[in-house]
Amino acid sequence: MAKTPTQNTTPMDRPKVVCLGGVHMDVRLRAKHHLVDGASNPVSTLQRQGGVAYNVAQALRVAGLTPRLLTLPPDSARAYIALEDAEGDLVYGLACLDSYENLNGDFIRQHETTIKDADWVLVDGNCQKDAFAAWPDGTSKVALISVSPAKMNHFLPILPKADWLFCNREEWQILQSLYEGSFNRLHILETRGSEGCLLHEPSCDSSGHIHHNFAANEDAATVQATADQTGLGDCLAGLVMQHVICGFDPISSVQEALDHLPETLRAVRSAK
């Protein structure tokens, strides 16, 4: 992996980074043969710790930072279960995540000092809308990481305070339809699957955003097409933010992250 400024600093010099949001078990069930409705279908099973905030924190750790993870107490019933067909395509996603309702305004107020003391807070959309409404005023910079189209409305109260947003094309379109304010201060990385991603960078004038296209790295595209994609977008967000936090410009941060995404993803998975 490319050398970054983080590797030239002592732990005391490193920025204070908080990852806030979801941690749960990711369970993947892949059919060994063609799925038959109403019958017993043999599957292979892969289970590991996951959740957006957890995956982002792991990517940051692999890249050399030491983030603090703020989440709910452990709960063995909190899980996301993906049922895939024999080719690896998702058939059903089953989310047992009701306890994320407790990532609310009270949770934010409980951890207000930690949030305000951080240089950066990377927070996912599992936090409830009232959590973002209770976000403290302070000097922390904020990056938002999406979790699903249905939860994009959670971000509405914090958008005027946010610095970065990571989402896919559908989620970005939904947010644009919901939010009547300006996105001009936000750096937005919109992922587009095999098409790569699009960085919407704030313009210095009144034109809004400048757009930069990034083609999918060939190695990354291979990983995406042939391997378990769970956590891929989270890992990308973590890698981009690692470079941003360490002083890289936005364009270089995205390009470096894409270049090193496959090896970082493998390192994150091996560490779980």
Side-chain angles (χ1 to χ4, degrees):
M1 185 173 297
K3 192 172 184 179
T4 70
T6 305
Q7 295 169 299
N8 298 321
T9 61
T10 66
M12 292 297 293
D13 296 328
R14 293 178 185 176
K16 296 179 181 178
V17 182
V18 170
C19 295
L20 195 163
V23 178
H24 56 254
M25 293 306 299
D26 279 329
V27 182
R28 188 188 75 187
L29 306 177
R30 177 171 292 184
K32 294 184 176 181
H33 310 291
H34 176 72
L35 286 169
V36 179
D37 290 341
S40 178
N41 292 273
V43 299
S44 60
T45 304
L46 176 64
Q47 180 173 303
R48 58 175 168 239
Q49 194 78 37
V52 174
Y54 178 85
N55 292 334
V56 171
Q58 287 293 90
L60 290 173
R61 291 189 181 106
V62 167
L65 292 179
T66 53
R68 177 173 179 178
L69 184 59
L70 282 185
T71 189
L72 298 172
D75 180 355
S76 59
R78 192 161 60 235
Y80 175 78
I81 303 169
L83 174 61
E84 301 174 349
D85 62 22
E87 287 71 42
D89 293 325
L90 182 67
V91 178
Y92 293 109
L94 308 174
C96 183
L97 304 173
D98 288 349
S99 62
Y100 283 155
E101 294 176 359
N102 294 315
L103 288 171
N104 53 25
D106 289 339
F107 183 88
I108 296 300
R109 285 183 284 270
Q110 178 185 351
H111 297 284
E112 180 174 338
T113 300
T114 300
I115 292 171
K116 293 178 71 172
D117 190 48
D119 297 301
W120 276 91
V121 180
L122 282 53
V123 55
D124 73 42
N126 286 308
C127 293
Q128 302 301 300
K129 191 173 183 179
D130 69 316
F132 293 113
W135 201 264
D137 293 324
T139 58
S140 298
K141 293 188 175 182
V142 179
L144 308 173
I145 301 102
S146 67
V147 298
S148 72
K151 294 184 178 181
M152 291 305 290
N153 67 313
H154 291 188
F155 290 142
L156 295 179
I158 201 175
L159 285 174
K161 300 178 182 179
D163 300 274
W164 276 81
L165 168 67
F166 295 85
C167 60
N168 62 34
R169 180 168 12 204
E170 179 185 2
E171 292 163 341
W172 172 227
Q173 291 172 345
I174 289 172
L175 191 62
Q176 288 177 292
S177 72
L178 293 173
Y179 188 57
E180 297 180 356
S182 171
F183 293 100
N184 283 356
R185 66 165 285 160
L186 267 178
H187 291 84
I188 302 154
L189 188 64
E190 175 194 346
T191 55
R192 296 183 163 195
S194 60
E195 297 177 31
C197 55
L198 182 64
L199 173 64
H200 307 268
E201 190 176 19
S203 172
C204 295
D205 55 33
S206 59
S207 62
H209 283 84
I210 301 172
H211 309 289
H212 306 277
N213 281 293
F214 295 84
N217 174 282
E218 184 176 349
D219 192 14
T222 300
V223 170
Q224 184 170 350
T226 63
D228 172 20
Q229 297 180 37
T230 305
L232 188 68
D234 307 338
C235 190
L236 175 61
L239 268 182
V240 172
M241 289 312 304
Q242 182 262 338
H243 286 85
V244 170
I245 291 166
C246 290
F248 286 72
D249 66 83
I251 296 174
S252 298
S253 295
V254 175
Q255 190 60 65
E256 287 287 326
L258 289 170
D259 289 345
H260 299 290
L261 179 59
E263 65 194 76
T264 302
L265 184 62
R266 287 190 284 267
V268 165
R269 288 174 176 168
S270 66
K272 291 186 179 184

